[in-house]
Amino acid sequence: SYVLTQPPSLSVAPGQTARMTCGGNNIGIKSVHWYQLKPGQAPVLVIYYDRDRPSRIPERFSGSKSGNTATLTISRVEAGDEADYYCRVWDSSSDHVVFGGGTKLTVL
Amino acid sequence: EVQLLESGGGLAQPGGSLRLSCAASGFTFSSYAMTWVRQAPGKGLEWVSGIVGSGTTTYYADSVKGRFTISRDNSKNTLYLEMNSLRAGDTAVYFCAKGTHSDYPRAHDYWGQGTLVTVSS
């Protein structure tokens, strides 16, 4: 089955840049979506189709992809960005949605 | 405003059944695919099942295939997840999510707050 690999944790100081990676075989040909999940809240779509940003998401959030890695970048990190972030793709060989294991972003 | 409200969670015995519902409002329900995703305690997000806007095509994770059934009633703007032969490993918060188009798969642009399912004797 298809696997997406995310580092389990990342710590960043306020005002700095957080870069969270999502690795997977041939991820370059798949559409990657990113979700933010805070405890007790509904998940929020922050990036879709690799780099598009919903209108309600701040411009500080951006997505990119290179080789076998997709990256979610949060510029000028704020305390309110502290959350778990998940990448997601569609595995066409199995007709399954696949989530990465998630990265816990801690704002120092 | 898009709203998704899950209900039907609770305590079930191993081998038992539950039916989850997701009441949708604020959009043309039949025009969008829908998805169930769960999060077990202390774990990450796990995709469970999806259904296209018309209801004619469904998708299931291997872990639930044959035990869970996704369906929708477009006249009632409601998504369902019938869960049978429940196991302890099904214990999780179950979220419903709206797709960005009627077909599958697409990004999930709106999510409900979730309903907790606990499977225990």
Side-chain angles (χ1 to χ4, degrees):
Chain A
S1 59
Y2 192 81
V3 175
L4 289 173
T5 301
Q6 296 183 252
S9 63
L10 176 67
S11 297
V12 175
Q16 299 303 302
T17 298
R19 293 183 180 86
M20 286 168 276
T21 61
C22 173
N25 189 37
N26 286 327
I27 200 172
I29 61 171
K30 299 180 184 299
S31 295
V32 181
H33 312 302
W34 291 89
Y35 300 91
Q36 176 194 69
L37 181 56
K38 297 181 180 179
Q41 297 188 21
V44 174
L45 177 67
V46 294
I47 293 291
Y48 62 109
Y49 294 113
D50 303 337
R51 58 180 64 247
D52 290 340
R53 183 174 39 81
S55 58
R56 59 187 179 276
I57 301 302
E59 291 184 5
R60 302 183 296 105
F61 288 75
S62 63
S64 62
K65 209 165 54 175
S66 178
N68 280 333
T69 301
T71 301
L72 172 67
T73 301
I74 308 175
S75 304
R76 303 180 300 282
V77 166
E78 302 174 356
D81 298 330
E82 190 164 282
D84 294 329
Y85 291 86
Y86 295 87
C87 57
R88 192 225 93 165
V89 301
W90 173 255
D91 177 25
S92 57
S93 65
S94 63
D95 281 353
H96 283 22
V97 169
V98 178
F99 284 97
T103 295
K104 181 177 182 61
L105 175 65
T106 299
V107 181
L108 300 170
Chain B
E1 179 191 5
V2 172
Q3 291 194 347
L4 298 170
L5 184 62
E6 301 95 338
S7 61
L11 178 64
Q13 296 214 338
S17 300
L18 279 176
R19 187 175 85 153
L20 306 183
S21 299
C22 172
S25 61
F27 63 101
T28 303
F29 183 68
S30 60
S31 295
Y32 297 94
M34 298 293 294
T35 294
W36 288 100
V37 173
R38 68 186 181 185
Q39 184 181 31
K43 302 295 186 182
L45 297 177
E46 179 189 13
W47 173 73
V48 174
S49 183
I51 187 168
V52 300
S54 64
T56 55
T57 305
T58 58
Y59 304 87
Y60 296 95
D62 293 344
S63 58
V64 306
K65 194 168 187 177
R67 300 188 299 122
F68 291 11
T69 302
I70 191 171
S71 63
R72 62 192 297 160
D73 186 336
N74 287 343
S75 68
K76 295 182 178 179
N77 292 344
T78 303
L79 174 73
Y80 302 101
L81 185 67
E82 187 75 38
M83 304 186 296
N84 298 317
S85 303
L86 284 164
R87 307 165 179 167
D90 296 319
T91 294
V93 173
Y94 285 72
F95 298 99
C96 67
K98 168 188 169 292
T100 57
H101 295 74
S102 63
D103 59 344
Y104 210 85
R106 299 287 186 166
H108 311 123
D109 56 355
Y110 289 92
W111 297 63
Q113 294 284 341
T115 186
L116 176 62
V117 172
T118 303
V119 183
S120 174
S121 55

